[in-house]
Amino acid sequence: KIASSKATINTSLEGSRPSIIQVLSSSLVVSKEKIPSMFLIYSKLALAALLMRARAFPKESNDGPHVDFEEKNPKEDSGLIVDATKAGHVKRDRLLWLVVNFFTDKMTDIVASNTHESEMKNTLEAYLQQEDLYCFMLASLCVSQHQKDPLEHSTIRIHTLKSVSRLVQSLRDFKGLSRQTREKIESVYFVALVRALIRQRINFSDLISSANDKRLKKWQSHLTNEADLIFCTANEVAELLSLHSSTVNTDGSVNFSHLIRAITRKEDSHPLQPANTSALAQFLEALVWFWNFLTCRFDVSSPTETMLRSRLMVPISSAIISVCGSPGISVEGTSSVDDKSDKSALSFSDYFDSENSVNGLFLPDESSEEEGDQRHRRILLRKICQLSQCVSLVFRSVNEKLICQETRSFLFPSRQYGPFLPLVVTRIGHAMSDMIFQLFSKDAQGEAYPYGARECGNTIDDLLGKAYCRLYGFSFSGVDPDASNKYAPESIKAATHIFRCVRRVYHDNRKSPPNRAFETIELALPPGEESKASKSIKAFLFDAEKKTVVANITTDLPPGFPEWVFSEAQKVTPSDDEHQANISMLRRGVAHELAKGSITLLDPSQKSPSDMDDQVGLSEERELTQSHELSLHKKFSAVLDDLCYNPNNIERWIVLSECLGFKAEYICDRLARIQESYVHSEFFLDINSKRKSRSSLSLDQLQTMQKEEFQESRKNWTPYIGNDLRYYMQFSWSNLSSLQTCAKEIGSTICQIDSESPDLDGSISDCMCWKEIDSMYEERNFVSWANSWAGMFVAALRTMRLRALLIARYLAMKSQEGMHPGEVNEDIGTTLYGELIASTVYGYPMHPMSLHEKRAIAECSNFYFQEAVELSSNSMYTQKCQTIAFELYFMIGKCYEKIASTLKEEMYLDSSKGGCPTRSYERVMKDAILYYSKAFSDAHNAEQYSGGPDKTCVGGSSHGALECLYRLHATRFKVLHAAIRHVKEECDLAELEAFRITSVKWYDKSNESSSTTGVRQKTWDVFADCVDALSHCLREIPLFHRAAYRLAQAYNYGPAFHNPACDLSLGSKQAVPAIKSYRVRGLDTGSCANSASIVISKLFEKKRSQICAVWVTTSAAPSPFEVLNDSLRKYDSLRLKY
């Protein structure tokens, strides 16, 4: 009950008589200024206990503080412990050890709880300058062991070692101590550990070679306890040496660490230090003896010895490898012998990629240098090479299972950094790589080792790769390691070495470095402050301002993005602090590397640690969707971080937009359509195939009405809620737990704004929407709740995506490097056109898209496609343009077709009454036909130039010129199909208009009547021509599903094309007279429905795998049209349609 702080003062035992130590410690704790004195008192008490024990066992401590590293004959130590078996001596010995451990722990508590007091600092500095600490560590750790000692003796010694370890760690962590003082603490402790390890080797050897029956439990227990003590000591030695490796200079000299200097100090430099040769020789001899014992597999050994070999393999291997981090500590026995006269001398060609004639040629050589300095450098280079081979041999000799055992040291805080042996290998490997660069006077940040030492460097990097695999879960061999192995680097210095090693390995490699390497480095980086440029970029991207404009054509920098960001963000402020400079370098490097790579190469197995428990019960599709969302967010964050350092990178803005767009597409594909996409009466004749009323609005009236409908649809609607759009990318929509967290985060910001500014209409509207959606969750209507959030997710993601694309466009227009501006415009046009799919307005609540909004989006998309065509042929830009002209013409035609579909309801004006017979619908649709024709002509010429059409793509939308041909004549057919469905009063006008539109381009000119005929004949001519074109598409590609559907539709409507006033109640079962049907390929004289059935059934005659192949797009570089069709909702729409 001895106190070390106020919290540990014991006042509960009333009437008891406290000891003198209790009274003294309690009084010193109460008066804070006396706490340092208490530390000194405890240290004296611990040392006094050790001295009392020394008097009780004089032969064990005869050498006192004088350290003797000479080995003793075991027979001479037979009388070290006199009468130790007597009960009194054993009890007293145990009590003294317990006293030592007790006061050592008290000293640790005092240091750990008083880390900021100046008086404590002064006391420690003064104490550590004395010899008490050295005597205390030697007396507590360097104790001989005898076979007749009680088993409890070894256990207490292990506890003593742990107590001393904790004390040393607390002293090293104490703030304010000078570097020299810290080095002295480590040096004294290291010397005591080395001497202890040498004595433990003697004791262990005595036990192994003893004549006792090895089947006795007592012998086995003695051996096991001694092995445990060796285990702890070797770990401590390896930990210290690996953390404090030596460094080299360009002249071949070595800057030995303070640990090596401590055990090799001359006798005249310190009275307590041994001679250097004896210290080094006995230490290395002990390690070699242990290694021989561990690797000797031929001697007959007991099961206990076999078990201990596995127990000691990792710590002994770690100690040997850590010694390799200090080249030059060995005694050079051939220093006066010429290398050429020594036949046993190793040649550089044994280790390097150079031949004998250039040994040492690539080492730095100056005319002022003496010949001896050059020789020292060559010798040191040879030693580094030999040591790297030694590390490789030792590390490869350790069994894989033993490497991953819990063998971490308890002194330094390495427990959280992974298995101990790989950690030691990484430290020594990093030190050796630095030595090579230092010896060659090269920058350690180089992407390759200096020429002449690359074989040695590659050996080191290969070792590091294997160690990284055990520690961080990535390797350089291409083998997927265990994903559970993922620790953080122990320091910024270690993270810097990892980054440099990865760059060296992959600098000339075709493969990309593993992302996990940079993610591991990122774990070591402290939270950093965002720069002014970073804040501006994120403020622009995540701005939640809601604008009523449907689509805006922007030719300059988007509003809200400051132009100074492009020049300010790239400025790098040099730092004199190496630590801060490394952090800055790593941030930029990691962000740049993680942002690399295609968006299609994301890891599909990503799982959020916070959502692991929520994975149970998820459907396979939902779990897959969530993993994709998490991967996209991971990629998005990496790209955004890189853009904050280099916002001028056009490709990064494109990838950022793709991350946002892909997530929006994932969500859209999993939402049910809010309106029926397929009307049966459009495919075959029935009573609803005809319109019920005629068009009665002028163009101005029609546009005014559509605009009013649009404005009405926007009432009580919001694209998203909240004041920060980052939440919509950060959280997964597909996981209900993650979605609920997102809702709470957004709700908390909304309510906070609402309470601070209750008069803001936007905030009140957001708060009302949030409460309305939240009520669905409270009512356990989870589907409606999730779908409500889904609409806002899609709207927010699309908003951010368009912002990123507009920044990329601005940069491409101003730059002569990177992506061509035509490619960026193509991406923007495709993105905008994609919003027209399913004609749905996302947000809350989701609703069908109005015609006014559809026309505005199509016009905006058309603008960017048209600009892409102009820019692709602009000679002002020197970079290569990857856009294909016919694909742009094709999409322009689709935009015009969408625009025309919003103008169909304009009234017809009879030219005989003085009106203009040409409607806007006719003018726009003619433009669509012309652009489709131009796309087909360019695509056909391109195929002829390349040797013919590509036959490898049999499904999806990868049909090249044939796709353009189909779209041209399918559009002509749809114009004609819409015309015959008009009411009788305007059917003739509609058919004449359709003829003017469709007669712009013919598939076969022979189908056009030579003489002026009536409207019925003209309609049949165009109908027959369209059927010929669609039949040609199916003959070229039998699995062209859109052509099959459109041809079957044409056959079903054959009776209406023959006579629009036919009996609709009979449907498509009617027949067309033979005088007309003979002109239409594939149309029988019987029921038209039978002809349609024959065409459409061929798509479903195959096996399931073959049917699915019809819908697959296999193009490596998809066109914009392929991108639009490569979505799950488009696939589902076609399946339901067919």
Side-chain angles (χ1 to χ4, degrees), residues 1-6 8-9 20-46 103-104 106-111 113-114 117 119-120 123-124 127:
K1 304 300 182 181
I2 298 178
S4 58
S5 63
K6 284 187 176 181
T8 59
I9 296 178
I20 296 176
I21 297 300
Q22 284 180 312
V23 175
L24 179 60
S25 62
S26 299
S27 62
L28 292 176
V29 167
V30 172
S31 57
K32 293 183 179 180
E33 66 276 4
K34 299 297 183 181
I35 291 180
S37 302
M38 186 167 56
F39 175 84
L40 297 178
I41 293 173
Y42 288 168
S43 66
K44 294 293 185 181
L45 289 172
F103 284 110
T104 304
K106 288 297 179 181
M107 293 164 62
T108 304
D109 294 340
I110 292 174
V111 175
S113 59
N114 297 274
E117 296 187 10
E119 186 176 352
M120 189 68 186
T123 301
L124 289 177
Y127 169 74

Side-chain angles (χ1 to χ4, degrees), residues 676-684 981 1045:
E676 183 63 42
S677 61
Y678 170 62
V679 180
H680 296 284
S681 58
E682 292 184 356
F683 182 66
F684 53 81
R981 298 181 63 189
Y1045 171 83

Side-chain angles (χ1 to χ4, degrees), residues 935-945 961:
F936 168 69
S937 177
D938 282 15
H940 181 71
N941 293 336
E943 287 184 355
Q944 293 298 321
Y945 179 78

Side-chain angles (χ1 to χ4, degrees), residues 480-542:
D480 292 332
D482 186 6
S484 62
N485 295 337
K486 192 168 185 180
Y487 299 90
E490 55 184 330
S491 63
I492 295 298
K493 183 179 179 181
T496 304
H497 280 105
I498 296 172
F499 183 76
R500 293 172 180 171
C501 180
V502 173
R503 291 185 61 186
R504 287 196 302 267
V505 172
Y506 288 93
H507 82 281
D508 59 351
N509 198 328
R510 291 184 178 181
K511 295 182 179 180
S512 300
N515 281 346
R516 186 172 293 178
F518 304 108
E519 294 168 4
T520 299
I521 297 171
E522 201 172 23
L523 295 176
L525 297 177
E529 294 184 3
E530 290 194 20
S531 63
K532 184 180 178 182
S534 171
K535 293 178 181 178
S536 299
I537 292 174
K538 293 180 180 179
F540 164 77
L541 191 64
F542 299 135

Side-chain angles (χ1 to χ4, degrees), residues 709-863:
E709 291 177 351
F710 162 71
Q711 293 173 346
E712 184 66 25
S713 67
R714 288 303 176 99
K715 293 181 179 179
N716 299 321
W717 174 87
T718 182
Y720 36 75
I721 60 177
N723 59 350
D724 194 341
L725 300 185
R726 77 178 70 232
Y727 297 120
Y728 294 99
M729 189 64 190
Q730 177 181 351
F731 294 97
S732 300
W733 170 81
S734 54
N735 185 293
L736 294 183
S737 177
S738 175
L739 183 58
Q740 187 180 15
T741 305
C742 175
K744 290 179 179 179
E745 290 284 346
I746 295 176
S748 62
T749 59
I750 293 174
C751 296
Q752 183 179 2
I753 296 177
D754 192 18
S755 60
E756 294 176 356
S757 306
D759 295 331
L760 296 177
D761 295 337
S763 298
I764 294 175
S765 174
D766 283 357
C767 190
M768 292 175 60
C769 289
W770 185 87
K771 291 179 179 178
E772 183 177 342
I773 297 173
D774 189 60
S775 64
M776 302 177 189
Y777 187 88
E778 297 297 331
E779 296 171 0
R780 304 188 66 80
N781 188 358
F782 300 123
V783 174
S784 299
W785 173 77
N787 288 344
S788 299
W789 279 108
M792 294 187 290
F793 264 77
V794 174
L797 293 169
R798 286 181 170 179
T799 299
M800 291 186 285
R801 181 186 188 184
L802 188 58
R803 291 173 182 173
L805 287 171
L806 291 176
I807 295 295
R809 175 179 176 272
Y810 173 79
L811 291 173
M813 299 282 284
K814 301 289 184 181
S815 174
Q816 296 294 325
E817 299 177 354
M819 286 186 66
H820 195 280
E823 300 175 42
V824 182
N825 276 274
E826 182 185 42
D827 286 346
I828 299 176
T830 305
T831 298
L832 290 171
Y833 192 90
E835 297 182 10
L836 299 175
I837 296 179
S839 299
T840 301
V841 177
Y842 294 92
Y844 179 75
M846 291 185 292
H847 60 270
M849 185 178 292
S850 64
L851 295 178
H852 172 80
E853 188 172 3
K854 183 183 295 186
R855 182 168 60 253
I857 295 176
E859 288 173 348
C860 191
S861 176
N862 185 33
F863 167 81

Side-chain angles (χ1 to χ4, degrees), residues 36-254:
S37 302
M38 186 167 56
F39 175 84
L40 297 178
I41 293 173
Y42 288 168
S43 66
K44 294 293 185 181
L45 289 172
L47 187 58
L50 290 170
L51 293 176
M52 290 177 65
R53 184 181 181 279
R55 294 191 189 99
F57 306 98
K59 291 188 178 181
E60 179 182 296
S61 304
N62 263 343
D63 44 4
H66 298 284
V67 183
D68 184 10
F69 282 79
E70 293 294 334
E71 293 188 17
K72 296 181 180 181
N73 192 330
K75 296 181 180 180
E76 297 177 3
D77 293 336
S78 59
L80 281 178
I81 302 178
V82 181
D83 298 328
T85 57
K86 296 181 180 180
H89 287 84
V90 172
K91 183 176 181 180
R92 184 178 183 181
D93 183 47
R94 176 179 179 277
L95 179 60
L96 290 175
W97 276 119
L98 293 177
V99 170
V100 172
N101 295 346
F102 178 80
F103 284 110
T104 304
D105 292 337
K106 288 297 179 181
M107 293 164 62
T108 304
D109 294 340
I110 292 174
V111 175
S113 59
N114 297 274
T115 56
H116 299 283
E117 296 187 10
S118 59
E119 186 176 352
M120 189 68 186
K121 170 191 170 184
N122 297 331
T123 301
L124 289 177
E125 289 280 2
Y127 169 74
L128 296 173
Q129 294 301 323
Q130 302 173 6
E131 300 300 329
D132 288 357
L133 178 65
Y134 186 78
C135 295
F136 168 74
M137 288 191 178
L138 287 181
S140 59
L141 299 182
C142 302
V143 181
S144 296
Q145 170 78 355
H146 196 269
Q147 298 178 26
K148 296 183 179 181
D149 286 342
L151 296 178
E152 189 179 8
H153 188 83
S154 297
T155 304
I156 294 177
R157 289 167 61 197
I158 294 176
H159 291 167
T160 303
L161 175 58
K162 293 183 178 180
S163 296
V164 175
S165 301
R166 288 190 292 267
L167 175 60
V168 172
Q169 179 61 40
S170 63
L171 291 172
R172 293 181 68 255
D173 291 341
F174 189 85
K175 296 182 179 179
L177 291 181
S178 62
R179 183 176 63 87
Q180 293 79 4
T181 303
R182 297 177 191 274
E183 289 183 357
K184 181 177 180 180
I185 296 171
E186 295 168 348
S187 300
V188 170
Y189 181 52
F190 181 70
V191 169
L193 288 172
V194 169
R195 178 173 177 179
L197 186 63
I198 294 173
R199 290 200 173 187
Q200 290 161 12
R201 199 280 293 177
I202 297 173
N203 297 335
F204 193 78
S205 176
D206 290 345
L207 289 170
I208 292 294
S209 60
S210 66
N212 295 329
D213 188 353
K214 296 184 179 182
R215 294 174 296 178
L216 296 176
K217 293 292 185 182
K218 185 176 181 180
W219 178 86
Q220 296 175 2
S221 300
H222 270 292
L223 190 63
T224 302
N225 289 341
E226 190 65 28
D228 290 340
L229 189 59
I230 296 171
F231 174 88
C232 297
T233 306
N235 272 341
E236 294 297 279
V237 170
E239 181 78 1
L240 280 170
L241 276 177
S242 62
L243 283 174
H244 302 287
S245 301
S246 301
T247 59
V248 301
N249 301 317
T250 56
D251 60 355
S253 61
V254 180

Side-chain angles (χ1 to χ4, degrees), residues 954-959 963 1039-1042 1109-1114 1122 1125:
V954 297
S957 310
S958 307
H959 300 139
E963 187 72 46
L1039 298 180
F1040 197 156
H1041 55 83
R1042 285 188 300 281
V1110 177
W1111 320 97
V1112 176
T1113 298
T1114 56
E1122 292 177 77
N1125 284 280

